[in-house]
Amino acid sequence: MTSGTWARRPLHGRPGHRVRGLRGPGTAAALVTGGVLLGWFLPRWERRLPVRGLGFDASTAQATLAAVAGSMITLAGFIVTAITLVVQTVQSMSPRLVAALGHFSRYIVLFGLLIGTAVYALVALSHVRGNSVPRLSVTVAITLVLIDAVVVLYLLASLRHAVTGGGLSRGVGQRLRTVIEHQYPPATRTAALADLADLADLADDGNRQGTLLVTHRGRPSVVVSVNEGRITRLAAQNRLHIHLTHAVGDFVTTGDLVARVKPEGATVGPRLARRISACVRYGPSRTLEQDTSYGLRLLADIAVRALSPAVNDPTTAVQALHQIEDALLRLAQRPLGPTWLLDTHGTPRVHHPAPQWPDLVSLALDETLLYGSSSPQTARRLHALLQRLRAAAPPNRLPALTEREQALRRLVAEHLTDPLLTHLASRPDQQGLGSPSPTRTAADEPPGEVE
């Protein structure tokens, strides 16, 4: 095996980000359409039903349905205002969080539910004529109002947690855990590869005879994901070795090289090259679909923004560090770095670049080390985080953690010149400040007054 490279089977069965992004608008459109159809057909069907619902005369039914329609439209306007406030609050922590967390989807679904109820009431209202009163339809309208009220109250209750710094950190952490479990499953078997020196040459020599260079022909974009199952099957069926040149999250411009393809036999035709290129999906910005680094980037953004002089909120930075610690603990024992994807026979087919442990540790911690070293609360939480990672990481991953511990001590000594604050910031604390201290020794006592 080449240094720093491991092998695993390709991952299958994960829904695409594009599909998930359409769930909210698609569900909302279905609710509105369902409201129209229900309002049109239910009054006609209920004439054949034995149950007629609550007793309403024509004038009462008209007033009830009109009130339902008007109130739902007003409430939908309130939801639009709430969405605007959510966007403004989330963007204050990081402009990238709005798209990453998908807060829009649930509010768009709620908007569709409210408009669907209003449209249902208006369509049902058209069936109230003279003594013909669709009482069951009016009863259903009242039931829908109750359902809408419960959903609105539930979302409002969750809103107070979702738009806080801690809530945003937890939201990113939850998404990041899912990505880590998918991209680096604990049970993944790392294959012992044979001599791959000739395949490794693909990374350095793309002009060898028989090697096909696949370029990006679209507009400048970000690599969002790679269909690992599909590209590995293509490589196995056509006896290819594919070296992807960009990791998920990289920005590529038109004409950039995205893959080198080495066939074992015949040359690769243009049609197959296009199929290989289609296995790499692009987008306007990074997503959390397959991008572990982006999840750590978002958490670091929250911590750094909280530590800025304009905000000065180290507690939010500590909450972000909780999630960073959890993510790094999950990654500490898992194989990282460039990957060979294996076909069903265990043959390496696709070389997939990916960040290694030092890269992820640097991304997750370095900026918070720099900006948080003047905050005793943040420095203590960083000490606790590094201490716990050292206990969990294998020996070959300890140097990256040792470097951060040493840098943290130097930065704390530089920014906190008072002996008491220096000593205070040098102690690990899971809460930052306020955790129950272990039994203290004389060496742990704070220094005396400096003369």
Side-chain angles (χ1 to χ4, degrees), residues 252-268:
V252 294
T253 62
T254 305
D256 277 358
L257 180 67
V258 295
R260 297 185 177 96
V261 183
K262 177 184 177 182
E264 294 179 359
T267 58
V268 181

Side-chain angles (χ1 to χ4, degrees), residues 17-18 99 219-224 251 281-287:
H17 174 78
R18 184 177 301 175
R219 66 183 63 183
S221 306
V222 172
V223 178
V224 172
F251 178 78
R281 192 167 66 80
Y282 305 91
S285 59
R286 298 172 70 177
T287 73

Side-chain angles (χ1 to χ4, degrees), residues 14 69 77 124 145 152 155 157 169 254 264 299 314 338-339 346 356 370 405:
R14 184 172 178 124
V145 170
V152 169
L155 287 182
S169 298
T254 305
E264 294 179 359
L299 291 172
T339 309
Q356 303 194 50
L370 176 63
E405 285 184 323

Side-chain angles (χ1 to χ4, degrees), residues 385-420:
L385 182 153
L386 291 167
Q387 187 180 77
R388 190 173 181 189
L389 284 176
R390 284 182 60 85
N396 64 326
R397 293 185 175 176
L398 294 180
L401 303 176
T402 301
E403 291 174 351
R404 270 77 194 171
E405 285 184 323
Q406 295 172 349
L408 180 58
R409 293 192 186 98
R410 292 194 300 268
L411 289 169
V412 167
E414 177 182 349
H415 290 103
L416 300 175
T417 56
D418 184 87
L420 174 62

